[in-house]
Amino acid sequence: MAMAARNVALAQKQNLDLLASCSGCYNKSARALKALQEDKEEFERISAILSEMGLDVSAYNIRVRNVVDVLANELWDTLTSRIRKPLKGVKVACYYGCLLTRPVDITGWDSPVFPISMDNLCRLCGAEVVDFRGKTKCCGGPILISQEEIALQLTKQILDEAKEKGADCIVLACPLCDTNLELRQADIEKKYNTNYNLPIVYITEIVGLALGLSPRKLGMDKHIVSTKPLLAKIR
Amino acid sequence: MVTTKGKRKFVFGLKQDRLADGDKMNSQLVKQVVAEGGKGAAIAACMQCGTCSGGCTNVDSMDLTPRSLVLMVQRGDWEKVIKSNTLWLCSSCYICTTRCPRGVRPSDVMEAVKAIAIRQGIENDATRFHKVFVEVVQKRGILFEPELIHKYAGLEGVLKQAPLGIQLALRGKISPFPETVKNPLKFSQAIEKAKSCPQPQQPQPQSQPDTPTIPVVASTPAQKNSTSQLVSSSRN
Ligand code: SF4
Ligand code: SF4
């Protein structure tokens, strides 16, 4: 908890909200902030460790946020007026995973059961969103190393459903989910003798494409699973 | 509860392994779990409905479902808890906590029990990975992936992951050189100190869950505590 609290304290020192691009970091930081704000005992315990590191903060009033939350709840209007290249004909499956929306007393900005903010963002970008039941299923990230087989099985279920629904890509907002879905895709293909070739893209990449940024600038060429089929559909 | 010829039968066809029986509660383990980070968990409020198990991502592979785990914690049956593979299969997806109608927060219970088990010195692949992870982070204040893999899986592991690592490095996704936070020494010293903070006492491995005498009295403060937590967390 102290490690997560350190980042929160660093942000508080500058009086800025903390924006996390990873669901896990977001969740842990939000949890740490909640403890620092609401639990006196924890506050004292953590503060002692933080001042050991040379960080003294007496009160916390910042917020911990994540990319989807900010895009959907702060920048919606800005985005609406700036969409240059609607992604017509592109089918996307939005994958939220676990830590973005659960547990609800820590996150609390979208439904933990059926979140829709990312779906709405993709629709705003002009893409067609498939009805994806696996959107809040677990990809097994935390047990990837120690229980590889089970984690790969979980990831496979998500890939299977997205493929079955005819999605051109999975959109997500967490690098660890991406590790499982993208970097392990080849392993899963080999193990279960299937073929996905399913591009996995971060939400900002989809938004960036709709804003008319060049794919190169967005780093679309840096994916392990090629995004070319997806880009071909957009042009 | 009906007793016939010494053999126990339960009303509504309830199996014994589902019976949240106040007489059998043993508050000691509950207290430890609360002290270890299960503060928000209203353990005593669990009504054994099994909603948590029903939604659990990995329940198929677990030998003790999340519901039974909460029951075993209520009963103080540390032996069963520590022997099960449940702790190491839980992928912290928080489905159980989101769905539990009683504010029990099974995932928090799980994390707390894990922490107690690690303090007791239990070792397996999962704990080894977490330990190595913390060591690597503690050293620089930030993660350096190749070192993590090397420490966890040895040279063999590095070689196995090398093709992927090279692909990632070529695309500029990971750096082959480690980074550090601004003052790594201060950071690691503080973490070291935090680790050696006084910790809640260890559970007794030979706990006796089936002694229905004193615990009822002993558990009153814990139950009171949990009831208030139930009220506070009932909005979930
Ligand atoms: S969902 Fe909650 S009340 Fe029901 S068995 Fe699980 S922990 Fe107990
Ligand atoms: S957090 Fe763990 S116990 Fe709870 S539903 Fe997820 S995998 Fe199961």
Side-chain angles (χ1 to χ4, degrees):
Chain A
M1 187 86 95
M3 289 203 206
R6 178 175 173 273
N7 290 334
V8 176
L10 284 173
Q12 176 65 55
K13 274 217 135 162
Q14 304 173 47
N15 229 341
L16 294 172
D17 281 357
L18 183 64
L19 175 66
S21 60
C22 161
S23 309
C25 305
Y26 162 67
N27 204 286
K28 292 283 173 246
S29 308
R31 189 178 280 244
L33 178 66
K34 191 170 186 242
L36 285 168
Q37 281 175 334
E38 292 173 13
D39 190 337
K40 255 209 147 113
E41 234 174 82
E42 280 294 303
F43 176 80
E44 315 238 300
R45 219 165 60 90
I46 296 173
S47 292
I49 301 168
L50 288 180
S51 57
E52 197 80 25
M53 293 177 190
L55 271 170
D56 289 298
V57 179
S58 55
Y60 292 84
N61 58 8
I62 58 162
R63 285 190 295 171
V64 174
R65 316 207 49 182
N66 71 59
V67 175
V68 183
D69 179 14
V70 170
L71 282 177
N73 297 326
E74 304 282 340
L75 299 174
W76 184 269
D77 296 335
T78 323
L79 286 178
T80 316
S81 58
R82 296 207 185 166
I83 301 284
R84 297 254 154 73
K85 239 176 151 189
L87 311 175
K88 284 236 168 63
V90 177
K91 276 178 148 188
V92 301
C94 292
Y95 176 66
Y96 297 75
C98 307
L99 301 173
L100 206 57
T101 54
R102 285 193 298 260
V104 77
D105 55 341
I106 287 173
T107 57
W109 52 273
D110 200 347
S111 158
V113 186
F114 197 79
I116 50 163
S117 43
M118 217 192 305
D119 297 36
N120 285 341
L121 274 173
C122 289
R123 282 200 196 101
L124 182 69
C125 296
E128 185 187 334
V129 181
V130 303
D131 185 12
F132 192 39
R133 273 183 309 139
K135 58 162 74 169
T136 53
K137 278 191 187 154
C138 179
C139 71
I143 53 171
L144 173 63
I145 305 288
S146 48
Q147 307 276 356
E148 194 173 344
E149 192 148 327
I150 294 170
L152 291 186
Q153 180 78 38
L154 293 175
T155 312
K156 179 174 181 289
Q157 289 170 4
I158 295 163
L159 289 171
D160 275 345
E161 199 201 335
K163 195 84 195 167
E164 194 183 303
K165 296 266 159 81
D168 297 313
C169 67
I170 295 184
V171 182
L172 42 65
C174 170
L176 188 59
C177 303
D178 186 84
T179 307
N180 261 10
L181 291 168
E182 182 170 2
L183 307 190
R184 299 286 162 211
Q185 208 176 100
D187 291 354
I188 295 168
E189 282 173 349
K190 208 152 105 200
K191 188 156 178 204
Y192 296 97
N193 204 7
T194 50
N195 219 339
Y196 295 111
N197 289 327
L198 196 60
I200 313 292
V201 299
Y202 200 82
I203 177 73
T204 46
E205 291 177 306
I206 282 289
V207 173
L209 285 174
L211 291 178
L213 300 179
S214 85
R216 226 194 146 70
K217 235 183 183 165
L218 285 167
M220 299 297 280
D221 52 340
K222 298 201 166 174
H223 280 275
I224 298 285
V225 176
S226 167
T227 52
K228 275 190 193 129
L230 175 66
L231 293 176
K233 272 207 150 180
I234 292 169
R235 258 178 229 134
Chain B
M1 196 195 309
V2 192
T3 313
T4 35
K5 281 189 193 166
K7 209 179 169 192
R8 281 181 158 181
K9 271 193 182 167
F10 299 93
V11 276
F12 307 132
L14 218 58
K15 280 200 218 141
Q16 185 168 7
D17 87 312
R18 301 200 62 145
L19 195 75
D21 185 346
D23 287 357
K24 283 198 173 169
M25 288 215 187
N26 179 337
S27 69
Q28 226 224 323
L29 185 55
V30 174
K31 274 190 202 147
Q32 272 156 355
V33 167
V34 169
E36 192 61 76
K39 254 189 216 161
I43 299 169
C46 174
M47 59 181 177
Q48 292 295 301
C49 67
T51 308
C52 48
S53 307
C56 175
T57 308
N58 299 307
V59 70
D60 295 350
S61 336
M62 291 174 173
D63 53 12
L64 211 60
T65 63
R67 172 193 62 72
S68 324
L69 184 96
V70 174
L71 183 62
M72 292 311 144
V73 169
Q74 280 184 343
R75 288 185 184 165
D77 197 341
W78 180 247
E79 201 115 313
K80 277 209 181 116
V81 170
I82 192 84
K83 262 199 215 139
S84 79
N85 63 5
T86 305
L87 304 178
W88 320 110
L89 282 168
C90 167
S91 54
S92 305
C93 68
Y94 299 136
I95 289 179
C96 47
T97 293
T98 305
R99 294 189 182 172
C100 172
R102 303 275 282 177
V104 177
R105 304 185 76 91
S107 59
D108 283 9
V109 175
M110 192 81 73
E111 274 165 25
V113 170
K114 253 192 250 187
I116 298 173
I118 290 171
R119 258 185 233 299
Q120 275 200 348
I122 192 168
E123 280 207 18
N124 56 36
D125 284 357
T127 61
R128 215 156 53 78
F129 179 70
H130 293 151
K131 223 171 114 198
V132 171
F133 192 98
V134 172
E135 270 170 24
V136 173
V137 172
Q138 193 181 338
K139 197 158 116 195
R140 297 196 178 81
I142 205 166
L143 189 61
F144 180 48
E145 289 85 355
E147 188 182 4
L148 174 70
I149 297 172
H150 180 227
K151 279 204 166 166
Y152 174 73
L155 210 54
E156 202 182 317
V158 176
L159 289 179
K160 204 174 138 202
Q161 298 299 339
L164 184 60
I166 290 168
Q167 268 186 316
L168 287 174
L170 281 180
R171 286 170 168 81
K173 291 206 173 192
I174 55 172
S175 155
F177 307 105
E179 292 179 37
T180 56
V181 291
K182 267 191 196 136
N183 200 337
L185 194 64
K186 238 180 179 176
F187 179 85
S188 57
Q189 278 167 352
I191 295 295
E192 194 54 48
K193 202 155 171 211
K195 275 205 253 176
S196 57
C197 275
Q199 292 299 341
Q201 63 194 121
Q202 309 287 301
Q204 259 63 77
Q206 66 278 50
S207 63
Q208 272 144 15
D210 288 325
T211 40
T213 41
I214 319 127
V216 182
V217 187
S219 65
T220 322
Q223 278 170 345
K224 235 194 216 157
N225 203 355
S226 317
T227 328
S228 62
Q229 277 155 357
L230 174 66
V231 176
S232 68
S233 54
S234 57
R235 64 195 135 85
N236 292 352

